[in-house]
Coordinates of all heavy atoms in Angstrom, one line a residue:
Chain A
Y336 N -73.4 -77.8 8.2 CA -74.7 -78.2 7.9 C -74.8 -78.8 6.4 O -75.3 -79.8 6.2 CB -75.8 -77.2 8.1 CG -77.2 -77.6 7.7 CD1 -77.8 -78.8 8.3 CD2 -78.0 -76.9 6.8 CE1 -79.0 -79.1 8.0 CE2 -79.2 -77.2 6.5 CZ -79.8 -78.5 7.2 OH -81.0 -78.8 6.8
I342 N -80.6 -82.7 9.6 CA -81.7 -82.2 10.5 C -81.6 -82.7 12.0 O -81.8 -81.9 12.9 CB -83.0 -82.5 9.9 CG1 -83.2 -82.1 8.5 CG2 -84.1 -82.2 10.8 CD1 -83.5 -80.5 8.6
M345 N -79.0 -80.9 13.8 CA -79.3 -79.4 14.1 C -80.3 -79.2 15.3 O -80.1 -78.4 16.2 CB -79.8 -78.8 13.0 CG -78.9 -78.8 11.7 SD -78.3 -76.9 11.4 CE -79.7 -76.3 10.7
G381 N -102.4 -72.0 5.9 CA -102.8 -73.2 5.2 C -101.6 -74.2 5.2 O -101.8 -75.3 4.8
D382 N -100.6 -73.9 5.9 CA -99.3 -74.8 5.9 C -99.0 -75.2 7.3 O -98.8 -74.2 8.1 CB -98.2 -74.0 5.2 CG -97.1 -74.9 4.9 OD1 -96.9 -76.1 5.4 OD2 -96.1 -74.4 4.1
V383 N -98.8 -76.3 7.6 CA -98.4 -76.8 9.0 C -97.0 -77.3 9.1 O -96.7 -77.8 10.1 CB -99.4 -77.9 9.5 CG1 -101.0 -77.4 9.4 CG2 -99.3 -79.3 8.8
H384 N -96.2 -77.3 8.0 CA -94.8 -77.8 8.2 C -94.0 -76.9 9.1 O -93.7 -75.8 8.6 CB -94.2 -77.8 6.8 CG -94.8 -78.9 5.9 ND1 -95.7 -78.5 5.1 CD2 -94.6 -80.0 5.6 CE1 -96.1 -79.6 4.3 NE2 -95.4 -80.5 4.6
D385 N -93.6 -77.3 10.2 CA -92.9 -76.3 11.1 C -91.5 -76.6 11.5 O -90.9 -75.9 12.4 CB -93.9 -75.9 12.2 CG -94.0 -77.2 13.3 OD1 -93.6 -78.3 12.9 OD2 -94.6 -77.0 14.4
L386 N -91.0 -77.9 11.1 CA -89.7 -78.2 11.6 C -88.7 -77.1 11.2 O -87.8 -76.8 11.9 CB -89.4 -79.6 10.8 CG -88.2 -80.4 11.3 CD1 -88.4 -80.6 12.9 CD2 -88.2 -81.8 10.7
G387 N -88.8 -76.8 9.9 CA -87.8 -75.8 9.4 C -87.9 -74.3 10.1 O -86.9 -73.8 10.5
K388 N -89.2 -74.0 10.3 CA -89.4 -72.8 11.1 C -88.8 -72.7 12.4 O -88.1 -71.9 12.9 CB -90.9 -72.5 11.2 CG -91.4 -71.3 11.7 CD -91.7 -71.4 13.2 CE -92.8 -72.3 13.7 NZ -92.9 -72.6 15.1
M390 N -86.3 -74.6 13.5 CA -84.8 -74.6 13.5 C -84.3 -73.1 13.3 O -83.4 -72.7 13.8 CB -84.4 -75.3 12.2 CG -83.1 -76.1 12.5 SD -83.6 -77.7 12.6 CE -83.3 -77.9 10.8
L391 N -85.1 -72.3 12.5 CA -84.7 -71.1 12.2 C -84.9 -70.3 13.5 O -84.0 -69.5 13.8 CB -85.5 -70.5 11.1 CG -85.3 -69.1 10.6 CD1 -83.8 -69.0 10.0 CD2 -86.2 -68.7 9.5
L427 N -90.4 -63.0 9.1 CA -89.8 -64.2 8.5 C -90.9 -65.2 8.2 O -91.6 -65.7 9.2 CB -88.7 -64.8 9.5 CG -87.7 -63.9 9.9 CD1 -87.5 -63.8 11.3 CD2 -86.4 -64.3 9.2
V428 N -91.1 -65.6 7.0 CA -92.2 -66.4 6.5 C -91.6 -67.7 6.1 O -90.9 -67.9 5.0 CB -93.0 -65.8 5.5 CG1 -94.4 -66.6 5.3 CG2 -93.4 -64.3 5.8
S429 N -92.0 -68.8 6.7 CA -91.7 -70.2 6.2 C -92.8 -70.7 5.3 O -94.0 -70.7 5.6 CB -91.5 -71.1 7.5 OG -90.8 -72.3 6.9
V430 N -92.4 -71.3 4.1 CA -93.4 -71.8 3.1 C -93.0 -73.1 2.6 O -91.9 -73.2 2.0 CB -93.5 -70.9 2.0 CG1 -94.7 -71.3 1.0 CG2 -93.8 -69.4 2.3
M431 N -93.7 -74.2 2.8 CA -93.4 -75.5 2.4 C -94.3 -76.0 1.2 O -94.0 -77.0 0.6 CB -93.3 -76.5 3.4 CG -92.2 -76.4 4.5 SD -90.6 -76.6 3.6 CE -90.5 -78.5 3.7
L432 N -95.4 -75.4 1.0 CA -96.3 -75.7 0.1 C -96.4 -74.7 -1.1 O -96.5 -73.5 -1.0 CB -97.8 -75.8 0.6 CG -97.9 -76.8 1.8 CD1 -99.3 -76.7 2.2 CD2 -97.7 -78.2 1.2
S433 N -95.9 -75.2 -2.4 CA -95.9 -74.1 -3.5 C -97.3 -73.5 -3.7 O -97.3 -72.5 -4.3 CB -95.4 -74.8 -4.7 OG -95.3 -76.2 -4.6
S434 N -98.3 -74.1 -3.3 CA -99.6 -73.6 -3.4 C -99.7 -72.2 -2.7 O -100.6 -71.4 -3.1 CB -100.7 -74.5 -2.9 OG -100.5 -74.8 -1.7
M456 N -88.5 -61.7 4.9 CA -87.7 -62.8 4.4 C -88.6 -63.9 4.2 O -89.4 -64.3 5.1 CB -86.6 -63.1 5.4 CG -85.3 -62.4 5.3 SD -84.2 -63.1 6.4 CE -83.5 -64.5 5.6
V457 N -88.4 -64.8 3.1 CA -89.0 -66.0 3.0 C -88.2 -67.2 2.7 O -87.0 -67.0 2.3 CB -90.1 -66.0 1.7 CG1 -91.2 -65.0 2.1 CG2 -89.4 -65.7 0.5
G458 N -88.6 -68.3 3.0 CA -87.8 -69.5 2.8 C -88.6 -70.8 3.0 O -89.8 -70.7 3.3
G459 N -87.9 -72.0 3.0 CA -88.6 -73.2 3.2 C -88.5 -74.1 1.8 O -88.3 -73.5 0.9
G460 N -88.6 -75.3 2.0 CA -88.3 -76.4 1.0 C -88.5 -75.9 -0.5 O -87.3 -75.7 -1.2
P461 N -89.6 -75.6 -1.0 CA -89.7 -75.3 -2.4 C -89.4 -73.8 -2.8 O -89.5 -73.5 -4.0 CB -91.2 -75.6 -2.7 CG -91.9 -75.3 -1.4 CD -90.9 -75.6 -0.2
W475 N -84.0 -64.0 1.2 CA -84.3 -65.4 1.0 C -83.0 -66.2 1.4 O -82.0 -65.6 1.4 CB -84.7 -65.7 -0.4 CG -84.5 -67.3 -0.7 CD1 -85.5 -68.1 -0.6 CD2 -83.4 -68.0 -1.2 NE1 -85.0 -69.4 -1.0 CE2 -83.7 -69.4 -1.4 CE3 -82.0 -67.7 -1.5 CZ2 -82.9 -70.3 -1.8 CZ3 -81.2 -68.7 -1.9 CH2 -81.6 -70.0 -2.1
A476 N -83.2 -67.4 1.9 CA -82.0 -68.3 2.1 C -82.3 -69.8 2.1 O -83.5 -70.1 2.2 CB -81.5 -68.0 3.6
L477 N -81.4 -70.5 1.7 CA -81.8 -72.0 1.4 C -81.8 -72.7 2.7 O -82.7 -73.5 2.9 CB -80.6 -72.6 0.5 CG -80.8 -74.0 0.1 CD1 -82.0 -74.2 -0.8 CD2 -79.5 -74.5 -0.6
T478 N -80.9 -72.4 3.6 CA -80.9 -73.2 4.9 C -81.0 -72.1 6.1 O -80.7 -71.0 5.8 CB -79.6 -73.9 5.1 OG1 -78.5 -73.0 5.2 CG2 -79.4 -74.8 3.9
A479 N -81.4 -72.7 7.2 CA -81.4 -71.9 8.5 C -80.1 -71.1 8.8 O -80.2 -70.0 9.1 CB -82.0 -72.7 9.6
P480 N -78.9 -71.9 8.7 CA -77.7 -71.2 9.0 C -77.4 -70.0 8.1 O -77.0 -68.9 8.5 CB -76.7 -72.2 8.9 CG -77.3 -73.5 9.1 CD -78.7 -73.3 8.6
A482 N -79.9 -68.6 6.6 CA -80.9 -67.5 6.9 C -80.4 -66.4 7.9 O -80.7 -65.3 7.9 CB -82.1 -68.1 7.3
Chain B
L183 N -101.8 -88.8 1.5 CA -100.8 -89.6 2.4 C -101.4 -90.0 3.7 O -100.6 -90.3 4.6 CB -99.6 -88.8 2.4 CG -98.9 -88.6 1.0 CD1 -97.6 -87.7 1.2 CD2 -98.4 -90.0 0.3
N200 N -106.7 -78.6 -1.1 CA -105.5 -79.2 -1.0 C -105.5 -80.7 -0.4 O -106.6 -81.0 0.1 CB -104.4 -78.4 -0.1 CG -103.1 -78.5 -0.7 OD1 -102.7 -79.5 -1.3 ND2 -102.4 -77.4 -0.4
A201 N -104.5 -81.5 -0.4 CA -104.5 -82.9 0.0 C -104.8 -82.8 1.6 O -104.4 -81.9 2.3 CB -103.1 -83.6 -0.2
A202 N -105.4 -84.0 2.1 CA -105.7 -84.1 3.4 C -104.4 -84.3 4.2 O -103.4 -84.7 3.8 CB -106.6 -85.3 3.6
Y203 N -104.5 -83.8 5.6 CA -103.4 -84.1 6.5 C -103.9 -84.3 7.9 O -105.1 -84.0 8.1 CB -102.5 -82.9 6.4 CG -103.1 -81.5 6.8 CD1 -103.1 -81.1 8.2 CD2 -103.7 -80.7 5.9 CE1 -103.6 -79.9 8.5 CE2 -104.3 -79.5 6.1 CZ -104.2 -79.1 7.5 OH -104.8 -77.9 7.8
P204 N -103.1 -84.9 8.8 CA -103.7 -85.3 10.0 C -103.7 -83.9 10.9 O -102.9 -83.2 10.8 CB -102.7 -86.2 10.7 CG -101.6 -86.3 9.7 CD -101.8 -85.5 8.5
S263 N -94.9 -90.8 11.3 CA -94.8 -89.2 11.2 C -96.1 -88.6 11.0 O -96.2 -87.5 11.2 CB -93.9 -89.0 10.0 OG -94.6 -89.0 8.7
R264 N -97.1 -89.3 10.6 CA -98.5 -88.8 10.6 C -99.2 -88.9 12.0 O -100.3 -88.5 12.2 CB -99.3 -89.5 9.6 CG -99.5 -88.8 8.3 CD -98.3 -89.1 7.4 NE -98.3 -88.3 6.2 CZ -97.2 -87.8 5.7 NH1 -96.0 -88.2 6.1 NH2 -97.3 -87.2 4.5
I268 N -93.8 -84.0 14.3 CA -92.6 -84.4 13.6 C -91.3 -83.9 14.4 O -90.2 -84.5 14.4 CB -92.6 -83.7 12.2 CG1 -91.4 -84.3 11.2 CG2 -92.5 -82.2 12.2 CD1 -92.0 -85.5 10.6
N269 N -91.4 -82.8 15.1 CA -90.3 -82.3 16.0 C -89.8 -83.2 17.0 O -88.7 -83.5 17.2 CB -90.5 -80.9 16.5 CG -90.9 -79.7 15.4 OD1 -90.0 -79.1 15.0 ND2 -92.2 -79.8 15.1
V313 N -88.8 -91.4 2.3 CA -88.3 -89.9 2.4 C -87.2 -89.6 3.5 O -86.7 -88.6 3.5 CB -89.5 -88.9 2.6 CG1 -90.5 -89.1 1.5 CG2 -90.2 -89.1 3.9
E316 N -82.6 -89.3 2.9 CA -82.2 -88.1 2.1 C -81.1 -87.3 2.8 O -81.2 -87.3 4.1 CB -83.4 -87.1 2.0 CG -84.4 -87.7 0.8 CD -85.8 -87.0 1.0 OE1 -85.9 -86.0 1.7 OE2 -86.6 -87.6 0.2
E318 N -80.7 -84.3 3.4 CA -81.2 -83.1 4.3 C -81.6 -83.7 5.7 O -81.6 -83.0 6.7 CB -82.2 -82.5 3.7 CG -81.9 -81.0 3.4 CD -83.0 -80.3 2.8 OE1 -83.8 -80.8 2.0 OE2 -83.2 -79.0 3.1
I319 N -82.2 -84.9 5.6 CA -82.9 -85.4 6.8 C -82.0 -86.1 7.8 O -82.0 -85.8 9.0 CB -84.1 -86.3 6.4 CG1 -84.9 -85.6 5.3 CG2 -85.0 -86.7 7.6 CD1 -85.9 -84.7 5.8
H350 N -90.6 -93.8 -3.9 CA -90.9 -92.3 -4.2 C -89.9 -91.5 -3.2 O -89.8 -91.9 -2.1 CB -92.3 -92.0 -3.8 CG -92.6 -90.6 -3.8 ND1 -92.6 -89.8 -4.9 CD2 -92.6 -89.6 -2.6 CE1 -92.9 -88.5 -4.4 NE2 -92.9 -88.4 -3.2
C352 N -88.7 -87.3 -2.1 CA -89.1 -86.0 -2.5 C -88.1 -84.9 -2.0 O -88.3 -83.8 -2.5 CB -90.5 -85.6 -2.2 SG -91.1 -86.2 -0.5
G353 N -87.2 -85.2 -1.2 CA -86.4 -84.0 -0.6 C -85.0 -84.0 -1.5 O -84.8 -84.6 -2.4
R354 N -84.2 -83.2 -0.8 CA -82.9 -82.9 -1.6 C -81.9 -84.1 -1.3 O -81.8 -84.4 -0.1 CB -82.3 -81.5 -1.1 CG -82.9 -80.3 -2.1 CD -82.2 -79.1 -1.6 NE -82.6 -78.5 -0.4 CZ -83.7 -77.6 -0.5 NH1 -84.1 -77.1 -1.8 NH2 -84.1 -76.9 0.6
V401 N -93.3 -80.0 -8.4 CA -94.6 -79.4 -8.0 C -94.7 -77.9 -8.5 O -95.8 -77.5 -9.0 CB -94.8 -79.5 -6.6 CG1 -96.1 -78.9 -6.0 CG2 -94.9 -81.1 -6.3
S402 N -93.6 -77.2 -8.3 CA -93.7 -75.8 -8.6 C -93.9 -75.5 -10.0 O -94.6 -74.7 -10.4 CB -92.4 -75.0 -8.1 OG -92.2 -75.1 -6.7
C436 N -93.7 -85.5 -8.0 CA -94.5 -85.8 -6.8 C -96.0 -85.5 -7.1 O -96.2 -85.2 -8.4 CB -94.1 -84.6 -5.8 SG -94.3 -85.3 -4.1
E437 N -96.8 -85.6 -6.4 CA -98.2 -85.5 -6.6 C -98.5 -84.2 -7.3 O -98.0 -83.1 -7.0 CB -99.2 -85.5 -5.4 CG -100.5 -85.6 -5.7 CD -101.5 -85.4 -4.5 OE1 -101.1 -85.7 -3.4 OE2 -102.6 -85.0 -4.8
Y441 N -104.3 -77.7 -6.8 CA -104.8 -76.3 -7.1 C -104.4 -76.1 -8.5 O -104.7 -74.9 -8.9 CB -104.3 -75.4 -6.0 CG -102.8 -75.6 -5.8 CD1 -101.8 -74.9 -6.6 CD2 -102.3 -76.5 -4.9 CE1 -100.6 -75.0 -6.4 CE2 -100.9 -76.7 -4.7 CZ -100.0 -76.0 -5.4 OH -98.7 -76.3 -5.3
Ligands
B12_365 C1 -92.5 -83.7 7.3 C2 -93.3 -83.5 6.1 C3 -94.7 -83.4 6.5 C4 -95.3 -83.4 7.9 C5 -95.1 -81.9 8.5 C6 -94.9 -82.1 10.0 C7 -94.5 -80.7 10.5 N1 -95.0 -80.4 11.7 O1 -93.7 -80.1 10.0 C8 -96.8 -83.7 7.6 C9 -97.0 -85.3 7.6 C10 -97.9 -83.1 8.4 C11 -97.0 -83.2 6.1 C12 -98.2 -82.8 5.7 C13 -98.3 -82.5 4.2 N2 -97.3 -82.3 3.4 CO1 -95.5 -82.6 3.7 N3 -93.6 -83.0 3.9 C14 -92.9 -83.4 4.9 C15 -91.4 -83.6 4.4 C16 -91.2 -85.2 4.3 C17 -90.3 -82.9 5.3 C18 -90.4 -81.4 5.5 C19 -89.4 -81.0 6.5 O2 -89.6 -81.0 7.7 N4 -88.1 -80.8 6.1 C20 -87.1 -80.5 7.0 C21 -87.0 -79.0 7.3 C22 -85.9 -78.7 8.2 O3 -86.7 -78.3 6.0 P1 -87.4 -77.0 5.5 O4 -88.6 -76.7 6.1 O5 -87.1 -76.8 4.1 O6 -86.4 -75.9 6.3 C23 -85.1 -75.6 6.0 C24 -84.9 -74.4 4.9 O7 -85.9 -74.5 3.9 C25 -84.9 -73.2 5.8 N5 -86.1 -72.4 6.1 C26 -87.4 -72.9 6.6 N6 -88.2 -71.9 6.8 C27 -87.5 -70.8 6.5 C28 -88.1 -69.4 6.5 C29 -87.2 -68.5 6.1 C30 -87.6 -67.1 6.2 C31 -85.9 -68.8 5.6 C32 -85.1 -67.7 5.2 C33 -85.5 -70.1 5.6 C34 -86.3 -71.1 6.0 O8 -84.3 -73.6 7.0 C35 -84.7 -75.0 7.4 C36 -83.3 -75.7 7.8 O9 -82.3 -75.4 6.9 C37 -91.5 -82.9 2.9 C38 -90.6 -83.7 1.9 C39 -89.1 -83.3 2.0 N7 -88.4 -84.3 2.2 O10 -88.9 -82.1 2.1 C40 -92.9 -83.0 2.6 C41 -93.5 -81.9 1.7 C42 -93.2 -80.6 2.2 N8 -95.0 -82.0 2.0 C43 -95.7 -81.9 1.0 C44 -97.1 -81.9 1.0 C45 -97.8 -81.8 -0.4 C46 -97.9 -82.2 2.1 C47 -99.4 -82.3 2.2 C48 -100.2 -81.3 1.3 C49 -99.9 -83.7 1.9 C50 -99.0 -84.5 1.6 N9 -98.9 -84.7 0.3 O11 -98.2 -85.1 2.4 C51 -99.6 -82.1 3.7 C52 -100.0 -80.6 3.9 C53 -100.3 -80.2 5.2 C54 -100.4 -78.8 5.3 N10 -101.5 -78.2 5.2 O12 -99.2 -78.2 5.6 C55 -94.9 -81.5 -0.3 C56 -95.0 -80.0 -0.7 C57 -94.9 -80.0 -2.2 C58 -94.8 -78.7 -2.6 N11 -93.7 -78.3 -3.2 O13 -95.8 -77.9 -2.6 C59 -93.5 -82.1 0.2 C60 -92.3 -81.4 -0.5 C61 -93.5 -83.6 -0.2 C62 -93.9 -83.8 -1.4 N12 -92.9 -83.8 -2.4 O14 -95.1 -84.1 -1.7 N13 -95.6 -83.1 5.6

Side-chain angles (χ1 to χ4, degrees):
Chain A
Y336 181 56
I342 296 288
M345 292 256 284
D382 191 343
V383 303
H384 297 89
D385 65 351
L386 194 54
K388 184 268 296 168
M390 216 113 87
L391 185 58
L427 302 128
V428 188
S429 188
V430 185
M431 285 298 275
L432 298 174
S433 16
S434 53
M456 268 184 87
V457 294
W475 165 88
L477 182 66
T478 65
Chain B
L183 299 173
N200 217 332
Y203 59 93
S263 76
R264 261 84 189 147
I268 195 93
N269 298 271
V313 298
E316 281 166 14
E318 243 182 326
I319 309 279
H350 167 82
C352 44
R354 277 188 273 265
V401 172
S402 300
C436 212
E437 186 190 337
Y441 47 89

